[in-house]
Amino acid sequence: MPYLRCYAPLGVPDCETIESLLGLRNTTGKAASAVKPLQELTKEQRHQTELVALGKNGERIQGDPFGIWRSWSGNVSHHQDARAPCPEAAAANYTEYQTIRDNAEELVLTFRVGSKTVRLMQCFDLDATDASCYDRSARAKRSKERGEAQLSDPPMTAELTQYIMARLMTSVGRYIVSESSTRSEASGSSSSCKTRKHGVFYKLRHAAQEEYWLHMSDEERKEARETVLIGAFFDEDPLRRVRFDLVKANWQNDWNNEGRNPDFFRDYKADHLAARNAWEDVVDGYIRKIHPELDPTKATVEALPNAKMCVARYGTWAMTGDSQGRYIGLTGDSLFTRILSECCFPRKIVGWFCRAAFGKASEMLRFLMKPLDEEYYKECVEMVANVDKEDKFELTDEDFVSSLVLGVNGHIQRRKDSNDIKGGLAGLCTFGNYHGGELCIPQLNLKVPYKPGTCAIIRGTDLAHLVSDYSGPRYFLIGTNRQNVKRHVWRKLGKLPPLPDDDDSIDEDPDDDIMEMTCFNTDHDTQSNGLCSNNDVHEFAAHRNHSSSWGSLLD
């Protein structure tokens, strides 16, 4: 994250400060050259906010000559700025280990690799070859009992949610919902995508979930459940009954499906209790509400480059729902298809970036992963080697990861990597200048220090994991391999039989993949200016819904 010159540490060169990055006039075109650099703005202009609008394209930003805001992105891009540096990384040596904890249940060791600390933990009550033992272990049972005791409230029923929605329609407190707007929506087509995904009732449902789980006390939630149970909805206010009926009439059937429309706020509260201030991807808007420094609409031109919340996927993936890996290929983020019609410069530097960032990260992962499970490592090497050259990134002399994720200030929900190779290992590297952000595995009641520079290895298909709350800029790199890519390669090598001709390899419920995403972006980015839709952009990695935080990283 760039600093203002007055706040920059001594080691940061002047050319990397905000004043330098925003101080060069853009001469690539007539419209671009009309944008003033930072030093030409008045004091009032430098303190102006609402420079961008979420979900809408912003062609030019006064004070940021190369900055462009895209509706699908979670950050301002500067892909026309040719000053992007080629990062470098140095090799490091490791030292002797130090024992942190050694008892009947676990052994914890640390050792240094250059300036970084590696932490290894062996759990004697767990068998890495038997995933079923995770839930049978004493630590897992203790964790489950503690979690159930902390959050004994049952999930919200549809009727309870509708009741809270109706209350909020007449509330003069945290949420004020216009009855005229709801009636206007009700008169339209309730089955339209716009009504379901952008309408008042869709937003009101999320507001009701937030109100119930995060702002009501235990007693207030209990009282609300009892009110709904006995049917005494609005005895004290008959008008609320009318509004309740209005909510019920506009209730979408999809909202009854927890798999497709989970209650993110209850999950957030459960994770908060399990990991102490743990984060979960409720919706981008809520994260920006409690982390205003990440809200680009509230940032001045000087703060806008740091108002980032982005996640991008690179490498080899298959289409959503294609569990058999009938078709695989590079993601749209890998090919920079979002800006294909605007500038080819990012494609020139993507090779540098991949070798420096993902290449170095994969070396760190290899150092830990190979001795942990050499058989799995060799299997991954064989798999990646047999992916067609045009469908993969070549990072090192012996690649073993094919699917990569890069994030900036990402807040990831408790999750299992259900689409990775079954029983395989995932590598997580984290960098930045942040505090907090421990790696939490509530299933086993574990919280591992996750300081900048940490590399962690986890059997992500078997163990749910999340990162606790943190402050300050944080980057993360994830290296893994997908089960569908493995199936594709194994069929190619004759290790699996070919698929029947009439098998389109699409799962019955492709929305099982929905929990893999950070949040949901209900737009399809149909604006002009040569932009692709989400499906065009993500190609093999496309999902039905995407958030602005799941945007491609162009910086």
Side-chain angles (χ1 to χ4, degrees):
M1 298 290 186
Y3 294 89
L4 285 168
R5 187 174 289 117
C6 59
Y7 299 121
L10 294 177
V12 175
D14 186 72
C15 63
E16 295 182 8
T17 61
I18 288 288
E19 288 87 347
S20 177
L21 294 173
L22 305 186
L24 181 65
R25 187 175 290 275
N26 186 347
T27 59
T28 58
K30 185 176 181 180
S33 62
V35 178
K36 296 179 180 179
L38 180 64
Q39 65 270 20
E40 294 184 14
L41 297 185
T42 65
K43 183 177 180 180
E44 290 75 18
Q45 289 174 323
R46 291 181 68 150
H47 287 86
Q48 183 180 347
T49 59
E50 298 184 358
L51 302 174
V52 300
L54 297 176
K56 296 182 180 180
N57 287 329
E59 282 298 326
R60 300 297 171 189
I61 303 168
Q62 290 296 328
D64 190 352
F66 291 92
I68 297 179
W69 176 265
R70 292 307 189 200
S71 59
W72 42 261
S73 182
N75 63 291
V76 176
S77 74
H78 298 84
H79 56 273
Q80 295 178 333
D81 193 340
R83 293 174 293 173
C86 176
E88 297 179 355
N93 298 317
Y94 67 91
T95 62
E96 293 297 325
Y97 67 86
Q98 179 183 1
T99 302
I100 301 299
R101 186 163 54 254
D102 187 359
N103 55 41
E105 193 170 74
E106 61 195 26
L107 171 66
V108 181
L109 306 174
T110 64
F111 58 92
R112 296 188 68 79
V113 178
S115 61
K116 307 302 179 184
T117 300
V118 178
R119 185 182 185 95
L120 295 177
M121 176 179 179
Q122 181 180 5
C123 299
F124 299 124
D125 56 339
L126 303 177
D127 184 352
T129 64
D130 180 13
S132 63
C133 76
Y134 298 154
D135 289 328
R136 295 199 309 266
S137 66
R139 68 178 76 214
K141 293 176 181 178
R142 291 195 303 267
S143 177
K144 183 178 181 180
E145 291 172 358
R146 185 181 297 109
E148 291 176 348
Q150 289 178 322
L151 185 61
S152 58
D153 297 44
M156 294 181 74
T157 63
E159 202 166 42
L160 176 59
T161 306
Q162 294 163 3
Y163 170 65
I164 302 298
M165 290 169 67
R167 282 176 48 175
L168 291 180
M169 288 177 66
T170 56
S171 171
V172 293
R174 185 172 287 103
Y175 301 102
I176 302 176
V177 180
S178 166
E179 185 173 354
S180 62
S181 64
T182 58
R183 292 192 179 279
S184 175
E185 180 179 311
S187 64
S189 173
S190 62
S191 62
S192 69
C193 179
K194 182 176 181 181
T195 299
R196 286 186 286 112
K197 298 299 185 181
H198 297 283
V200 171
F201 290 101
Y202 177 81
K203 297 175 182 177
L204 184 59
R205 174 174 165 268
H206 282 287
Q209 292 171 338
E210 178 183 342
E211 175 73 10
Y212 183 80
W213 291 114
L214 303 185
H215 303 299
M216 293 174 65
S217 66
D218 293 344
E219 288 300 318
E220 288 172 331
R221 291 197 300 273
K222 180 180 179 181
E223 182 181 348
R225 292 195 301 270
E226 291 176 348
T227 299
V228 171
L229 185 63
I230 63 177
F233 292 110
F234 306 110
D235 293 343
E236 75 286 1
D237 187 352
L239 185 58
R240 285 187 179 177
R241 181 75 207 192
V242 176
R243 287 163 181 150
F244 176 82
D245 292 338
L246 182 61
V247 169
K248 196 169 183 178
N250 285 274
W251 185 264
Q252 303 298 323
N253 289 331
D254 277 354
W255 296 347
N256 297 319
N257 187 325
E258 283 192 20
R260 298 188 181 186
N261 291 277
D263 187 342
F264 290 120
F265 289 97
R266 185 179 192 275
D267 295 340
Y268 169 82
K269 189 175 184 66
D271 287 349
H272 181 97
L273 294 172
R276 299 292 181 184
N277 298 317
W279 284 85
E280 192 278 327
D281 305 315
V282 184
V283 287
D284 283 353
Y286 183 71
I287 291 177
R288 290 184 173 113
K289 182 192 299 184
I290 53 182
H291 255 255
E293 73 276 10
L294 299 180
D295 188 346
T297 65
K298 293 182 172 62
T300 64
V301 67
E302 296 172 353
L304 192 57
N306 290 327
K308 298 179 180 181
M309 189 168 60
C310 326
V311 182
R313 295 185 288 185
Y314 298 93
T316 309
W317 301 67
M319 296 175 64
T320 300
D322 184 3
S323 63
Q324 299 301 320
R326 178 177 288 273
Y327 306 108
I328 65 173
L330 288 173
T331 67
D333 289 334
S334 305
L335 301 172
F336 284 90
T337 52
R338 296 174 185 266
I339 55 173
L340 181 61
S341 62
E342 301 176 28
C343 179
C344 63
F345 180 67
R347 287 196 175 184
K348 294 183 179 180
I349 66 171
V350 70
W352 306 340
F353 169 76
C354 289
R355 285 188 293 273
F358 290 128
K360 194 60 185 179
S362 67
E363 291 177 7
M364 296 169 61
L365 300 181
R366 180 189 291 111
F367 174 78
L368 296 175
M369 192 179 295
K370 187 175 181 180
L372 286 175
D373 194 336
E374 189 168 5
E375 182 178 349
Y376 171 74
Y377 173 81
K378 291 180 179 179
E379 179 182 274
C380 292
V381 170
E382 181 182 9
M383 185 197 75
V384 177
N386 286 281
V387 174
D388 291 341
K389 188 173 183 178
E390 64 270 17
D391 293 331
K392 65 181 178 183
F393 276 160
E394 294 182 340
L395 307 175
T396 65
D397 294 335
E398 187 177 77
D399 288 328
F400 68 100
V401 293
S402 59
S403 302
L404 306 148
V405 177
L406 170 63
V408 177
N409 296 327
H411 300 285
I412 306 301
Q413 64 191 21
R414 187 195 308 205
R415 52 171 289 169
K416 288 185 178 180
D417 305 317
S418 58
N419 292 300
D420 287 354
I421 291 179
K422 306 303 180 186
L425 298 172
L428 306 88
C429 303
T430 180
F431 310 95
N433 184 25
Y434 64 90
H435 301 281
E438 293 91 351
L439 177 61
C440 302
I441 308 175
Q443 188 176 351
L444 301 179
N445 197 32
L446 295 177
K447 181 186 291 186
V448 181
Y450 208 29
K451 298 178 181 179
T454 298
C455 178
I457 305 294
I458 187 172
R459 293 200 185 278
T461 58
D462 302 320
L463 293 171
H465 49 281
L466 65 143
V467 174
S468 66
D469 191 12
Y470 61 88
S471 59
R474 177 177 178 269
Y475 305 81
F476 65 84
L477 297 171
I478 300 174
T480 187
N481 290 292
R482 309 276 283 187
Q483 181 72 18
N484 47 22
V485 175
K486 176 184 175 181
R487 288 171 177 164
H488 177 95
V489 174
W490 264 209
R491 287 198 305 273
K492 177 182 175 181
L493 298 178
K495 295 187 177 186
L496 286 177
L499 293 173
D501 292 338
D502 59 347
D503 181 4
D504 61 5
S505 75
I506 302 300
D507 297 335
E508 291 183 3
D509 188 1
D511 285 332
D512 286 345
D513 235 11
I514 205 166
M515 295 303 290
E516 282 223 284
M517 290 138 33
T518 300
C519 315
F520 303 112
N521 171 19
T522 54
D523 290 323
H524 291 283
D525 303 323
T526 55
Q527 291 94 335
S528 56
N529 305 322
L531 291 180
C532 301
S533 69
N534 275 334
N535 288 333
D536 293 333
V537 166
H538 284 276
E539 297 175 344
F540 296 96
H543 285 276
R544 293 184 179 180
N545 302 303
H546 290 276
S547 73
S548 58
S549 69
W550 197 265
S552 176
L553 297 177
L554 302 180
D555 283 344

